[in-house]
Amino acid sequence: MAPILLAAGIPDLLVNLPDLDRLRELLKRIQEILAMGGIALALAASFVFLLAWVFSHLRQPSKTASHPVISTLALVVAYLPVALTLVAALGWLVPTLAPLTLKSFALAVVTAAFAWCLGVAAIVVGGSKQNLGRARRALLLAGTPWYCLAVYLSTFL
């Protein structure tokens, strides 16, 4: 068959190409394994966020007046990862924002971790019922990027 192809002007190098289907199959399998690991990590982190929120309900409000600085700061900072998650979600709907999807998810996860630390610190410090409520809301909002990241990564399977 090679002499026929050579006579037709097709070089011999193109005739002897290896079968790339096996390589494609292997690369697809590696992508699936990485996606599963990413989903497992995102789900584990979101459960940690949720567990912190559940355990925060064990904290009783204090009777003495305290300044709501940490709980307010935690709540304000927790809105930033939610906004970045919305930018990542817009990447699905607006094609020009698609390259920003993973970048905004990454930034949302980092800021969510910082907001979660502030929320946990506010729970540990304690305060009035309103302060603890703000800290709990901050913990829930800080978990949002992790939940959405798990859903996003599951679309690659």
Side-chain angles (χ1 to χ4, degrees):
M1 178 159 181
I4 296 171
L5 292 175
L6 286 175
I10 299 175
D12 190 37
L13 179 65
L14 292 177
V15 174
N16 295 327
L17 281 177
D19 185 24
L20 297 178
D21 289 334
R22 177 72 180 137
L23 183 60
R24 264 191 217 110
E25 191 176 302
L26 181 64
L27 289 175
K28 185 175 174 133
R29 182 71 181 137
I30 290 171
Q31 182 183 13
E32 289 173 356
I33 290 170
L34 289 175
M36 287 295 282
I39 292 170
L41 176 67
L43 283 175
S46 63
F47 283 133
V48 167
F49 278 72
L50 198 58
L51 264 160
W53 178 77
V54 169
F55 284 130
S56 73
H57 284 282
L58 297 176
R59 179 78 166 144
Q60 298 297 322
S62 64
K63 304 231 189 273
T64 61
S66 65
H67 297 289
V69 176
I70 295 178
S71 62
T72 304
L73 182 64
L75 184 60
V76 168
V77 171
Y79 280 110
L80 183 61
V82 173
L84 288 168
T85 304
L86 288 175
V87 170
L90 284 176
W92 280 356
L93 303 173
V94 181
T96 56
L97 293 177
L100 296 177
T101 300
L102 284 177
K103 292 174 187 173
S104 54
F105 263 134
L107 192 56
V109 163
V110 169
T111 56
F114 182 68
W116 182 79
C117 290
L118 282 174
V120 169
I123 295 292
V124 170
V125 169
S128 66
K129 187 175 182 178
Q130 291 81 16
N131 292 348
L132 291 176
R134 281 189 209 105
R136 287 183 189 116
R137 194 172 317 120
L139 290 176
L140 281 179
L141 289 173
T144 301
W146 291 97
Y147 312 132
C148 296
L149 183 62
V151 171
Y152 175 72
L153 289 175
S154 69
T155 62
F156 289 117
L157 294 181

